[in-house]
Amino acid sequence: MPYRLFCLLMAAVGIQAQQTPSINDLNAECLGNVIRLSVAPLFEEVDAVFNDTQIINLTPGLATQCGFSFKFDPMGNAMFFASLQNCFSQNMDDKMFSLVMQFRLPGNHMTEDPVYRVGKTCSYTPWTSREILCDRNYMEASEQSMPQWTCLQSRLSQAVASGYKMTAVVFSPSKNVMNVDEVQRKGYAIANTPTRLVLRSPHNAEETYLQNVAGVPMRVLSTFFEQKWLVTRVDATAVCPTPEAVAFTPEVITWYMPKHIDPLFSSDAFTMLEVYMGIDAKRLDIEEMAARNYSVLVTEAHIIVEIPVGAVGGYFKSHIQDDQYFVTYTIEPMLELLWIEEVAHENTSYKVLFPITTPPMARPPQVRNYTVPEQAVFVLELGTFNLDVELLNITFPTMVLTVAECNARGFNVQEQRSPDNTLKTFRMEVPFSDPVVFKERRAEQGVTTFTLQLIYGLVIFPEYAPFSHSAVVDAVLLDIGMPPDYAKLLLNVPPSVTGNCDQENFHITVDYRNQEPFFVVLVGKRLLDHEFAQQYLTEGDTDFTITLPFSSPDAVFEVRPSSIKCNKYPGLMATCLLLPHLQECFSKGTMTALAVKVESAPGLNSGQLTLSDPSCGPTYSDDRFAYFHFTVNSCVPLEWNLIRVARYSSIHFCHCDVVICDASSPSGGPCSGQCVTFFGTTRKEVGLVLCFSDPGRP
């Protein structure tokens, strides 16, 4: 038999329900003590069908009072949730519950709005001693009737006809006392069924209050019922989490639920029997949770739920703030707990449907330019957006075109979806020849620049929130007949090269200024290949540094610096004072001297160098250096003759008292014993040449 409504005065429209068709997009499920209806089309009105004859329109206030809630995604799909103990279910002895709902869809002026009806019957048994249900807009407590309540329930039933004057509802901790009709006028609902007493309240009702439970703010409604001349008292308490129970990072949502919900316990001795997680009121098994990367952790004080932002089961929604694009992510997890108190031996079922929405996250759109100038078409892609964003029009400097007009003009505007069908971009192609493209020929450079200025006009559905995104893109096309190498020079920004030295090394930095490095590098006469780079190169984001020792074969020795250029590309010659001593004297009467081969004397044989005494040759020599170690008494006079090579003028490496000679040096020159210097300061310098070359040039 249907249960009696104890406190709700309904405004029912007493009309005969019309016969209406059913549609496949209405899907009803029994999920424990909740009925879920999935509705694909966007409906205009929702009605409850009561006793098959009365149609009651569910306004938001009535839905909260009677145990109904709704959720919508950006695509217009809806989910409808109803407590089994809602105001309009047909209750058969608290074991079977039957609900019939009617959805009115938008029609047109010529026809009556189409109406669709769906019904669902659910069984739910056995009930626990106490059932708490927290939904997005209400909190509900259902208490099992005890034998001593029989008299009270009989009186409550009589009170329905007498205006509810005899029963008092006392709210705690305020101690406010109201009769039942006063309670229902404030938006609460109270009902008695064959075996249970039901209390329902909006979350923000006047008599609710916040309580910190294990560091988590919880919303509490605490009442008890008593009747004049009777000593029987019935307690009913509901406790639900608040949005402050959630913490956010850009990657993860973390929801904290107290394990011991203090207002619902009479002692600390309890046993947690079950913990389930679900989405949209439906439980998930372990495999489904793992596939979605959900996690539930039970600690001593909390039950902690973690959900990745963007995980399956939720959705992104677009928003505009100051013409800037933001997104939020929304998901509705469920926690379902079952515990038993060891002292009272009463078990409690606790279910929370808890919608969570992240703070707005900035997602500035970007225009990606896929233009190939030789194809003479701008190819642009704007994104990335959620599916609730649509492109309405594009503004050019001389006109505004809708998407349809753009396509008719040949711009080929297309919407493209991501593989998982959760994101979209807008792609378009604009020929260089179209009048909306600005053209500028630069004859001195042999190129033509094409510029496209545009403003995308976009809108977010279903709220029709407009916003825009502007862009300017350029393309440079080479004029026909230009030499390819010169064209490359015009189109590529040359790198910036700087160099310095320390006591032993060159340090040269090449900055290619956020451009693709369109060059190859020669160090000395060697190509900077992978093996060379591993040994000497340190790479940054838009630059690299070469560190090379003075002794490297890529360094050259000269009397003075010179300038070198390579194939019209910038070259750098890092020139440094040769700091290591070329000759040293020691206290034991020995000396060392180092002779280096200069770049301008390629025919010099270092191994044939001698001191003025032809028997005093180098202790060590290679193709670049000759190293002498001798006593001051054995190789005198201390003069070195400079090498005179055919086709070259004299190249001097002199310290004031030393001259280098070779076997073919003529007499009468510096090797005759005089110390001759042909330049003011006898400094030696070493240089490293770094050149940049076109990789396409032979």
Side-chain angles (χ1 to χ4, degrees):
M1 58 178 291
Y3 72 87
R4 297 177 182 272
L5 296 175
F6 176 41
C7 79
L8 182 64
L9 299 178
M10 296 184 304
V13 181
I15 64 173
Q16 180 66 34
Q18 299 178 352
Q19 294 296 320
T20 55
S22 62
I23 56 175
N24 294 329
D25 290 329
L26 291 175
N27 179 39
E29 296 179 85
C30 301
L31 303 174
N33 58 356
V34 171
I35 300 174
R36 185 179 78 180
L37 303 178
S38 300
V39 187
L42 185 63
F43 51 84
E44 208 167 57
E45 290 184 354
V46 183
D47 302 320
V49 181
F50 189 64
N51 286 334
D52 291 329
T53 59
Q54 294 178 313
I55 309 296
I56 301 96
N57 180 246
L58 280 183
T59 63
L62 186 60
T64 298
Q65 195 172 17
C66 282
F68 297 95
S69 67
F70 307 86
K71 63 173 286 188
F72 301 90
D73 69 19
M75 306 311 296
N77 301 312
M79 279 189 179
F80 177 86
F81 303 90
S83 166
L84 282 186
Q85 296 180 302
N86 68 80
C87 299
F88 307 116
S89 289
Q90 300 294 312
N91 182 345
M92 281 72 78
D93 297 324
D94 285 333
K95 296 178 181 178
M96 302 289 292
F97 299 85
S98 181
L99 178 65
V100 179
M101 302 300 299
Q102 184 171 279
F103 297 87
R104 189 177 301 275
L105 306 183
N108 54 55
H109 299 293
M110 304 300 295
T111 62
E112 189 174 344
D113 292 348
V115 177
Y116 299 93
R117 183 174 293 181
V118 60
K120 189 67 175 177
T121 299
C122 301
S123 64
Y124 186 67
T125 185
W127 291 85
T128 58
S129 303
R130 176 174 54 188
E131 306 239 347
I132 309 296
L133 175 61
C134 300
D135 205 338
R136 63 178 58 235
N137 55 337
Y138 68 87
M139 51 206 305
E140 178 183 284
S142 172
E143 301 282 348
Q144 183 179 13
S145 298
M146 303 300 289
Q148 61 266 33
W149 294 8
T150 304
C151 179
L152 177 60
Q153 283 197 293
S154 176
R155 296 281 186 175
L156 293 178
S157 299
Q158 295 174 15
V160 173
S162 63
Y164 318 108
K165 302 298 183 183
M166 300 177 64
T167 301
V169 181
V170 183
F171 291 90
S172 178
S174 67
K175 305 302 182 182
N176 287 343
V177 180
M178 306 179 198
N179 58 40
V180 176
D181 56 354
E182 290 178 307
V183 170
Q184 73 102 53
R185 284 197 301 268
K186 287 181 174 289
Y188 302 95
I190 304 173
N192 66 297
T193 76
T195 63
R196 308 190 70 80
L197 176 68
V198 181
L199 169 69
R200 191 176 301 111
S201 166
H203 285 292
N204 58 352
E206 181 180 351
E207 298 298 333
T208 63
Y209 61 93
L210 286 174
Q211 180 173 336
N212 189 294
V213 182
V216 179
M218 304 287 282
R219 179 68 61 177
V220 182
L221 175 69
S222 180
T223 66
F224 62 88
F225 301 86
E226 62 183 13
Q227 192 160 8
K228 194 174 182 180
W229 307 302
L230 293 176
V231 295
T232 305
R233 168 174 150 164
V234 181
D235 295 291
T237 301
V239 184
C240 295
T242 64
E244 289 73 22
V246 182
F248 300 98
T249 71
E251 295 80 25
V252 178
I253 297 169
T254 305
W255 172 22
Y256 296 89
M257 172 63 69
K259 183 178 178 182
H260 186 282
I261 306 173
D262 297 345
L264 298 178
F265 285 85
S266 58
S267 69
D268 292 335
F270 77 102
T271 301
M272 186 68 69
L273 302 176
E274 295 178 356
V275 177
Y276 290 101
M277 181 192 173
I279 295 293
D280 296 328
K282 189 171 186 177
R283 289 181 182 180
L284 298 175
D285 58 32
I286 296 177
E287 290 76 16
E288 290 173 309
M289 290 177 58
R292 301 182 182 196
N293 291 319
Y294 301 162
S295 70
V296 176
L297 176 65
V298 180
T299 69
E300 187 68 25
H302 298 96
I303 298 168
I304 304 172
V305 177
E306 288 193 346
I307 301 172
V309 173
V312 174
Y315 61 85
F316 284 100
K317 180 74 183 76
S318 299
H319 306 271
I320 292 299
Q321 298 178 7
D322 299 325
D323 207 39
Q324 301 299 309
Y325 183 67
F326 292 82
V327 299
T328 57
Y329 173 74
T330 297
I331 192 167
E332 186 164 325
M334 176 193 74
L335 265 183
E336 196 170 359
L337 313 178
L338 178 65
W339 68 78
I340 185 168
E341 292 193 61
E342 297 175 6
V343 175
H345 297 290
E346 293 182 346
N347 55 357
T348 298
S349 172
Y350 185 88
K351 179 183 287 187
V352 186
L353 313 183
F354 195 56
I356 298 173
T357 298
T358 65
M361 299 172 284
R363 294 289 188 271
Q366 295 182 348
V367 174
R368 298 175 182 86
N369 189 353
Y370 299 109
T371 303
V372 178
E374 289 75 15
Q375 296 177 357
V377 177
F378 282 107
V379 181
L380 308 177
E381 189 171 277
L382 174 67
T384 305
F385 300 104
N386 294 332
L387 299 185
D388 56 350
V389 173
E390 295 291 341
L391 177 63
L392 293 185
N393 56 46
I394 301 176
T395 300
F396 300 96
T398 56
M399 64 188 71
V400 179
L401 299 177
T402 66
V403 172
E405 290 169 336
C406 286
N407 286 328
R409 198 179 178 98
F411 291 175
N412 193 22
V413 179
Q414 296 180 355
E415 177 185 294
Q416 297 185 330
R417 299 267 181 119
S418 61
D420 60 359
N421 200 37
T422 60
L423 299 171
K424 67 167 61 172
T425 60
F426 301 102
R427 185 182 177 92
M428 69 179 302
E429 301 174 0
V430 180
F432 288 1
S433 58
D434 193 279
V436 300
V437 178
F438 175 75
K439 307 169 187 65
E440 179 185 11
R441 185 164 187 272
R442 302 174 182 174
E444 71 282 1
Q445 297 179 350
V447 298
T448 300
T449 301
F450 299 87
T451 303
L452 179 62
Q453 302 180 35
L454 66 166
I455 302 173
Y456 294 90
L458 304 119
V459 66
I460 298 173
F461 286 95
E463 59 265 47
Y464 297 96
F467 67 105
S468 63
H469 183 79
S470 59
V472 179
V473 291
D474 295 304
V476 179
L477 187 62
L478 305 177
D479 290 347
I480 297 175
M482 175 177 291
D485 290 341
Y486 181 55
K488 290 176 182 177
L489 284 172
L490 290 175
L491 293 177
N492 288 273
V493 179
S496 169
V497 186
T498 56
N500 59 75
C501 308
D502 58 21
Q503 297 292 325
E504 298 180 352
N505 300 290
F506 297 101
H507 302 280
I508 296 181
T509 299
V510 179
D511 185 347
Y512 43 88
R513 307 175 188 178
N514 296 314
Q515 303 292 324
E516 288 298 322
F518 183 75
F519 51 80
V520 294
V521 179
L522 296 173
V523 181
K525 297 179 180 179
R526 281 200 294 171
L527 179 68
L528 181 61
D529 56 15
H530 179 70
E531 182 179 353
F532 194 170
Q534 280 190 319
Q535 187 175 3
Y536 296 116
L537 185 140
T538 303
E539 193 166 8
D541 291 335
T542 60
D543 59 31
F544 59 84
T545 299
I546 297 172
T547 300
L548 199 72
F550 292 157
S551 60
S552 168
D554 303 287
V556 295
F557 297 89
E558 292 292 348
V559 175
R560 55 185 179 273
S562 62
S563 298
I564 298 178
K565 294 183 179 179
C566 299
N567 297 328
K568 299 183 179 179
Y569 274 74
L572 172 73
M573 182 173 178
T575 305
C576 306
L577 179 65
L578 187 57
L579 295 178
H581 296 292
L582 293 183
Q583 73 173 54
E584 291 186 81
C585 297
F586 299 94
S587 58
K588 294 182 179 181
T590 61
M591 292 184 62
T592 62
L594 180 69
V596 296
K597 179 179 179 179
V598 295
E599 182 72 6
S600 55
L604 176 66
N605 186 342
S606 301
Q608 295 181 357
L609 295 177
T610 67
L611 299 180
S612 58
D613 183 347
S615 64
C616 294
T619 307
Y620 166 82
S621 67
D622 58 18
D623 60 345
R624 304 188 72 216
F625 301 98
Y627 177 74
F628 297 87
H629 183 218
F630 53 93
T631 61
V632 294
N633 296 323
S634 61
C635 296
V636 291
L638 295 180
E639 298 176 352
W640 296 3
N641 194 9
L642 290 173
I643 302 142
R644 187 181 299 275
V645 182
R647 304 188 310 275
Y648 292 94
S649 59
S650 294
I651 312 298
H652 302 270
F653 276 85
C654 294
H655 282 238
C656 62
D657 58 350
V658 178
V659 177
I660 301 174
C661 303
D662 70 355
S664 60
S665 296
S667 59
C671 287
S672 62
Q674 299 177 357
C675 180
V676 179
T677 60
F678 292 90
F679 45 90
T681 304
T682 58
R683 297 185 307 170
K684 280 69 181 175
E685 294 179 334
V686 59
L688 175 67
V689 180
L690 186 70
C691 298
F692 300 92
S693 176
D694 177 359
R697 183 189 299 274

